[in-house]
Amino acid sequence: MNETRRDRDAEGRARNARPRDGLGRPLPYGAPGVERQPEGVVRTPAETLAEAQRLLDAGMPFHAHEVFEDAWKSGPEDERELWRGLAQLAVGLTHSARGNTAGGARLLRRGAGALAPFAGSAPYGIEVAGLSDWARELAARVESGPTVDAAAEAPRLRG
């Protein structure tokens, strides 16, 4: 029997150990890559927003998505859609920068929709209405235009 070896983490879960680029695309083993975000980190909302903004500004929306995903999974139930919506915006930007215009546009719109219930409250200073407008505008552009530059298109999370 020919078994394929899989990369595993310390707990034995399957993990791809290949290095990744700034947009989260796998690179060949041994190639220099961008350091991954650790998974399962519990941060305060302010820490989450600061780290995600840093990554977005650096053109690494895939990694920002992972930060938002940690908040989505560890935060209070009534905030899960907020963090999930932000994660979807980051993944939408990732796909748009990778050239997947249909998937990027779809995720940007889905993220904007997930944020809609929070538009009147600006939780943690997040400019929800502005982010939703940004996402819809970018979705329309990527559907009809070239691949976008993730760093140049990085949204401002807070006003």
Side-chain angles (χ1 to χ4, degrees):
M1 180 162 88
N2 182 9
E3 286 189 49
T4 303
R5 289 187 50 125
R6 294 182 73 185
D7 298 326
R8 304 243 174 226
D9 66 12
E11 287 80 39
R13 293 182 298 239
R15 295 278 188 238
N16 189 331
R18 286 174 59 184
R20 299 204 175 243
D21 71 5
L23 292 174
R25 293 175 291 214
L27 299 169
Y29 285 103
V34 173
E35 188 157 338
R36 292 182 178 192
Q37 288 298 302
E39 292 182 35
V41 177
V42 178
R43 299 173 180 88
T44 67
E47 291 168 335
T48 294
L49 291 166
E51 180 64 3
Q53 188 69 67
R54 182 187 72 76
L55 292 164
L56 289 167
D57 292 344
M60 299 191 316
F62 176 81
H63 302 278
H65 142 267
E66 292 178 331
V67 171
F68 288 134
E69 192 171 270
D70 283 340
W72 157 24
K73 291 179 177 179
S74 67
E77 183 69 35
D78 63 339
E79 292 180 3
R80 288 209 172 148
E81 281 301 299
L82 170 70
W83 301 113
R84 188 168 74 123
L86 292 169
Q88 288 170 332
L89 294 183
V91 168
L93 179 55
T94 299
H95 282 285
S96 298
R98 287 178 176 176
N100 176 2
T101 57
R106 185 173 42 254
L107 282 161
L108 287 163
R109 288 187 180 107
R110 188 179 301 156
L115 293 177
F118 301 93
S121 61
Y124 307 109
I126 299 169
E127 290 290 331
V128 175
L131 280 173
S132 295
D133 291 345
W134 166 84
R136 288 187 199 94
E137 186 273 329
L138 183 58
R141 262 193 301 128
V142 301
E143 285 178 321
S144 62
T147 301
V148 300
D149 178 296
E153 297 293 342
R156 299 301 317 153
L157 300 172
R158 293 170 149 172

